[in-house]
Amino acid sequence: MPRDPRFDLLFEPVRIGPVTAPNRFYQVPHCTGMGYRRPQSLAALREMKAEGGWGTVCTEYCSIHPSSDDEPYPSASLWDDQDVDRHALMVDKVHAHGALAGVELWHGGAVSANHYSRETPLGPVSLPAGVNDPVQTRAMDKTDIRELKRWHVEAARRAQRAGFDIVYVYAAHSYLIHQFLAPSNQRTDEYGGSLENRARLLRELIVETKEAVGDRCAVAVRFSASTGGDDEDQDTDEPREMLELMSDLPDLWDITVQDYSYEMGTSRFTEEAGLEKTMSWVKSVTGKPVVSVGRFTSPETMLRLVRQGVVDLIGAARPSIADPFLPQKIAEGRDDEIRECIGCNICYTGDQTGTPIRCTQNPTMGEEWRKGWHPEHIPVKGSDARILIVGGGPAGLEAAVSLGKRGYDVTLAEARRELGGRVTLESSLPGLTQWARVRDWRLNQLGKLANVDVYLESVIDEEQILEFAPDRVVVATGAEWRRSGVGRWHEAPIPGWDSPSVITPDDVMAGTTPRGPVVVFDDDHYYMGGVIAEALRRAGLEVTLVTPANEVSTWTTHTEEQHRIQARILKLGIAVETGTSLARINEGSVLLESIHTGETTEVEVATVVMTTSREPLDPLYQALADRIPIERIGDCLAPGTIATAVYSGHRYAREVDAATPTGPAFRRE
Ligand code: ADP
Ligand code: SF4
């Protein structure tokens, strides 16, 4: 289908200093959990974006010097010529598809504790360094500032040698340059105190970087349009004054905000184009192109923002991760096929845990080089096997779509009236609506596959499978929350667990309205406990969230949501008991126990929602495992995230009838 001519605007070239972006689709710098450690994987990942039509593709944050080492978080680096070769791998692949390559030069200052290099952390003044690390920075003297500028220029020259088209001066996100810009920089020399003085280092870095590489490379500045505040009412006064001071100095302004959890807000807290209100003033104070992000997946929103003069380039990290081929799909009038980001931030957990990136929607993300997976292509089938998939949750749906694309004759049977499994159920919980996109994209794909038959309201049992006699059976029947309370804290069922007052998140999602007061016992630590507490509180019940962790939904620090979740829980009037376990369930009460002191408290409670761990539902597999070719995927194999289930379904589809590797299942660097 040809594209709607209205969208031609998105495919116009944009001049950025000495270079020209072929279109307005701009993959802003984003971390991958790969950095300098996995250059081949990284090059293939970035290449995929360029192949998919992103006109500009940037690196992640790229350290200019060992005094900025972010271990255990894997940054890129341009410390020496070895690094040049690593980056050239990526640049050449990006260029091969006609895209520009950008590098985000970075110095972390006080954010870098330098665990690897053991260099003394640097900062405008001496302040605590790292992430609650018991070390401080050394206040930089004039020699240090001169050195910093030299490192930046040398790294820029290396970047140019690697072939980059855009070189960043990274002045946002609390890193070193931002530490100079911030009011906390009360140095008494010309680099601190007044606004002009605090902005001096940034100005000098822009000028010197342009002098060094500006003949061939554009110099971009990543800058925060606000200093903080409520999402709807951010404080933009100082950033505006600073930007006015340097308005036409760089070739491109890459505009973000100070607060990561707002910039890359999850869909639970932030809508598409969430930064618009905060940054829409920027173009009125600069004549240079502006790029910004907003979890853009709707071509209409992109069009509106360009037309209204909010941005010149559509910045994207997550939308390009969930769908590296988003631009190409718009170009070809296939917008309905965009694999829309669901705003879950699983992609960010890779960086946070020092591991390669993964994505809930796009199971091929991070697997481009090590497994040779392509998000849009999959090898044709290896046999004429007829395959039955039991269960249409994220694992079963992904397997059905991918096996269908390979050309297999697939039957998908689902017990419920609706496909989607846990995704359908969970997307009805507060803030999780967009998670249904995991189901919806796959339903759209299934609609295009004549070789996949779907049967709803079909509870499949052992006999039916034997009678149907498919060549292969894939069990994707999911898991259920345990009522017993067994999990991380309790290895054995909690006394009283079998009381009628104990329910699980599955009951809440199935429509059970419990009686209050309610205790949600969260020993799962991801989103479910917090979301269930929120749902029940919004339904008017008195709720206490009890968790052995020291904070609510503690794993969500990795998705950059924890403090927002905790704030929401507290603002809703949900009582929180941290460092506390559920010791016993009595008639009309529970016994809470401090995990630190063992002290117990009896609390009146009508209902307990047990959110601790899940039981795989695999009786079909257990009954037939020795009799027919049958495999489990997703939560019925091992309960995990939605991303794990989608990956599991995809992996099955890729590997069926393929040669089994003898060593590790992927290439290593
Ligand atoms: P996953 O995350 O692994 O995809 P889900 O729990 O989301 O798992 O989905 C499992 C799906 O399997 C649910 O939609 C459930 O209704 C379905 N299901 C479970 N048992 C059967 C069965 N015996 N026959 C057909 N469908 C089943
Ligand atoms: Fe979007 Fe989630 Fe994929 Fe990240 S992991 S790109 S937030 S769908």
Side-chain angles (χ1 to χ4, degrees), residues 390-397 413-416 418-423 458-461 476-479 614 617 620 633-636 641-642 645:
V390 185
L397 279 176
E414 165 55 47
R416 299 197 185 108
E418 222 187 327
L419 288 166
R422 64 181 286 192
V423 162
S458 305
V459 183
I460 301 298
D461 60 23
T477 45
R614 289 180 291 155
L617 292 176
L620 279 180
I633 58 171
D635 289 327
C636 83
T641 59
I642 299 167

Side-chain angles (χ1 to χ4, degrees), residues 264-287:
M264 46 178 275
T266 57
S267 56
R268 195 167 161 189
F269 295 97
T270 317
E271 292 301 316
E272 185 182 38
L275 304 193
E276 182 180 355
K277 186 159 181 272
T278 303
M279 58 69 59
S280 55
W281 55 271
V282 173
K283 269 192 66 69
S284 68
V285 294
T286 176

